[in-house]
Amino acid sequence: MRGNEFAELQAFLAVAEQGSFVRAAEALQVSPSALSQTIKGLEARLDVRLFHRTTRRVGLSQAGERLLARLKPAVEEVEAAVADAAELGERPQGRLRLHAFRVGYQLYLAPLLARFAEAYPDIELDLTLDDQPVDMIEAGFDGAIRLGELLEQDMIAMPLGATLRHCVVASPAYVKRHGKPVTPSDLHRHRCINWRWPGQMHPYQWEFHRDGGWFRVAVHGPLIINDLRAMLEAAVNGVGIAFTVDAWAAPLIREGRLVTMLDEWCAPFDGFYFCYPRQRHHLAAMRVFIDFLKRNA
């Protein structure tokens, strides 16, 4: 393939992806008229119309759609091969945009940040901590830490650590004043701290397990909060009973600042995963980050 033919195909891809000659010309740093002439030359060489043009929009013809379907993966593979060759002998570098649930971050990423920064000083992690699930691709994230039940089907997912387990906790002072619930239904007579998913109107219902099945309990109390760390702090301070994850509450339990209850009603569940879009090529920075998590998380 001659150089000008490859340039024509790159121009075609730019117009197809941008849906506009003006925007595609800006991306390619050429004039719209020059880009238009390039596309006309490609159409003349192929003897087929690739775009339907109107004064308001540019759309692919049937031939254009067929060319795009075959051409885009091929060009991505070529670009990946060039990127791989360029990365040989160089230290991984660049910025990774990551989204993480706060508990997942605290359990699996926060303890590793110093070691990762020392091992890969040229990689910058841009972290967003948020308990609200997001569309990773639409939001522009390279990867995310989220619960297994919230994984998207088109993502590659890597488990972080073992399974988790819910636990019900309160401060020793609260237990001394109010006692412990014996069954989940007893929670209706207790002061419970509700947690609400960000963006949700109603509080999260506590999940328990019995006789091979899960069931939910809606609880009530003096506080509704949307931050899990603040919820635990409120429990330590005697505000009421909290529903959390055993691995996160473990240090406070060991220190005697929290005590557990209803343990026989709490069962393991699918824990956190690191997930990322399924695609042909990832930057070297992403690949070393994934390998780092596999070795250490």
Side-chain angles (χ1 to χ4, degrees), residues 170-210:
S171 69
Y174 177 90
V175 173
K176 184 176 181 179
R177 290 195 306 271
H178 303 282
K180 288 184 177 183
V182 178
T183 69
S185 61
D186 293 337
L187 290 168
H188 296 301
R189 297 190 293 272
H190 280 267
R191 300 164 61 85
C192 298
I193 303 170
N194 263 305
W195 178 74
R196 181 173 55 229
W197 281 95
Q200 298 295 314
M201 181 179 299
H202 302 292
Y204 167 78
Q205 294 184 357
W206 297 8
E207 297 177 86
F208 296 98
H209 191 272
R210 194 70 163 186

Side-chain angles (χ1 to χ4, degrees), residues 28-272:
L28 295 173
Q29 296 183 334
V30 298
S31 69
S33 60
L35 179 59
S36 179
Q37 288 301 315
T38 299
I39 295 299
K40 287 179 180 179
L42 176 62
E43 290 177 325
R45 183 165 62 84
L46 299 179
D47 194 24
V48 68
R49 180 177 292 277
L50 299 173
F51 294 100
H52 298 302
R53 303 169 177 83
T54 69
T55 56
R56 294 188 176 182
R57 63 184 300 273
V58 175
L60 286 167
S61 67
Q62 184 177 2
E65 290 177 350
R66 182 176 297 181
L67 177 60
L68 179 64
R70 297 286 300 275
L71 180 62
K72 187 174 181 180
V75 171
E76 287 177 348
E77 190 63 30
V78 170
E79 292 174 345
V82 173
D84 283 340
E87 289 166 359
L88 290 176
E90 296 182 0
R91 292 193 303 182
Q93 57 185 306
R95 174 182 295 181
L96 293 179
R97 295 193 66 236
L98 306 176
H99 181 276
F101 283 12
R102 288 181 172 86
V103 174
Y105 166 77
Q106 291 292 338
L107 290 177
Y108 302 112
L109 189 51
L112 304 178
L113 287 180
R115 290 162 56 192
F116 184 81
E118 183 176 356
Y120 302 102
D122 297 324
I123 298 178
E124 180 183 30
L125 300 182
D126 183 345
L127 295 173
T128 296
L129 305 184
D130 183 11
D131 293 321
Q132 183 172 2
V134 298
D135 185 320
M136 285 176 48
I137 296 177
E138 182 178 338
F141 288 107
D142 299 301
I145 295 176
R146 60 178 54 172
L147 289 169
E149 63 188 80
L150 298 174
L151 292 175
E152 300 171 8
Q153 291 185 350
D154 57 346
M155 293 290 166
I156 298 174
M158 178 180 70
L160 299 174
T163 58
L164 298 176
R165 186 171 178 270
H166 286 133
C167 66
V168 183
V169 295
S171 69
Y174 177 90
V175 173
K176 184 176 181 179
R177 290 195 306 271
H178 303 282
K180 288 184 177 183
V182 178
T183 69
S185 61
D186 293 337
L187 290 168
H188 296 301
R189 297 190 293 272
H190 280 267
R191 300 164 61 85
C192 298
I193 303 170
N194 263 305
W195 178 74
R196 181 173 55 229
W197 281 95
Q200 298 295 314
M201 181 179 299
H202 302 292
Y204 167 78
Q205 294 184 357
W206 297 8
E207 297 177 86
F208 296 98
H209 191 272
R210 194 70 163 186
D211 299 327
W214 291 89
F215 64 96
R216 296 172 179 265
V217 175
V219 299
H220 304 280
L223 180 64
I224 301 175
I225 199 164
N226 70 344
D227 184 273
L228 291 169
R229 181 180 292 276
M231 181 192 70
L232 273 187
E233 291 174 352
V236 168
N237 292 330
V239 174
I241 299 175
F243 188 75
T244 186
V245 175
D246 57 353
W248 206 28
L252 297 171
I253 296 171
R254 287 195 300 267
E255 295 168 5
R257 302 172 68 189
L258 290 174
V259 295
T260 63
M261 53 198 73
L262 299 176
D263 291 338
E264 65 273 25
W265 299 82
C266 298
F269 66 96
D270 206 10
F272 284 96

